[in-house]
Amino acid sequence: MSLHGDYETDNIFARILRGEMPCVKVYEDDNILSFMDMFPQSEGHTLVIPKAPSRNLLETNAKDIGRLFGSVQRIAKAVEIALKPDGIVITQFNGAPAGQTVFHTHVHIIPRYTGLGLGAHGGAGTMADIDALTVLAGKITAAL
Ligand code: AMP
């Protein structure tokens, strides 16, 4: 997968946006969807995606990037209130060689806790328990 090319409409996040796949939702508005990462690198690992289709940040229009990162900050603040991490990593990968595995633009909000390591990136870790994710999402949503 190169940095540029056609947007593939069967990617997993496009399917979540169309309601064909479930997600544990944190926040949604006309432009943004946020949900829990199914293979979290830490407790509370949250994803934020624009609804408009684009493969990566380089192919996202500036208006959508502004909305996306406004929401990322808002949701990161809610993660801080809800889960009280010691730090928060914000990551965003463009192209397979950079580590991108899902080719719909997205931003990771990854809470860090002192003394706790980080799980594997890109769905290589353990699939989370949905009930546990739902509890975490509820706490983050309540803090928005
Ligand atoms: P990236 O590797 O940066 O493209 O990130 C893709 C992220 O999507 C990884 O952190 C995966 O764990 C996550 N992921 C893959 N499938 C799902 C899914 N069905 N629901 C939620 N997160 C997913």
Side-chain angles (χ1 to χ4, degrees), residues 10 14 24 27 58 62-63 68 75 86 94-95 109 114 118 121 138:
D10 62 349
V24 179
Y27 172 77
L58 283 67
K63 199 170 174 184
L68 176 64
I75 294 163
D86 303 299
N94 299 285
I109 298 172
T114 301
L118 200 59
H121 166 77

Side-chain angles (χ1 to χ4, degrees), residues 9-61:
T9 55
D10 62 349
N11 76 74
I12 197 119
F13 294 169
R15 297 183 67 199
I16 287 172
L17 283 168
R18 289 196 297 269
E20 297 169 4
M21 291 274 299
C23 73
V24 179
K25 193 187 295 184
V26 169
Y27 172 77
E28 181 172 17
D29 63 25
D30 288 346
N31 304 298
I32 297 294
L33 179 66
S34 176
F35 50 95
M36 304 308 292
D37 196 296
M38 200 62 82
F39 302 88
Q41 289 183 254
S42 72
E43 184 173 88
H45 183 166
T46 304
L47 299 170
V48 188
I49 72 173
K51 288 189 172 177
S54 67
R55 285 162 57 98
N56 56 54
L57 202 70
L58 283 67
E59 298 197 332
T60 306
N61 74 52

Side-chain angles (χ1 to χ4, degrees), residues 124-142:
T126 309
M127 189 169 160
D129 174 76
I130 300 297
D131 291 341
L133 283 189
T134 303
V135 170
L136 289 167
K139 288 182 183 174
I140 298 167
T141 302

Side-chain angles (χ1 to χ4, degrees), residues 79-100:
V79 167
E80 182 190 14
I81 292 166
L83 307 181
K84 300 183 175 40
D86 303 299
I88 298 177
V89 179
I90 308 285
T91 55
Q92 194 280 316
F93 300 84
N94 299 285
Q100 186 175 9

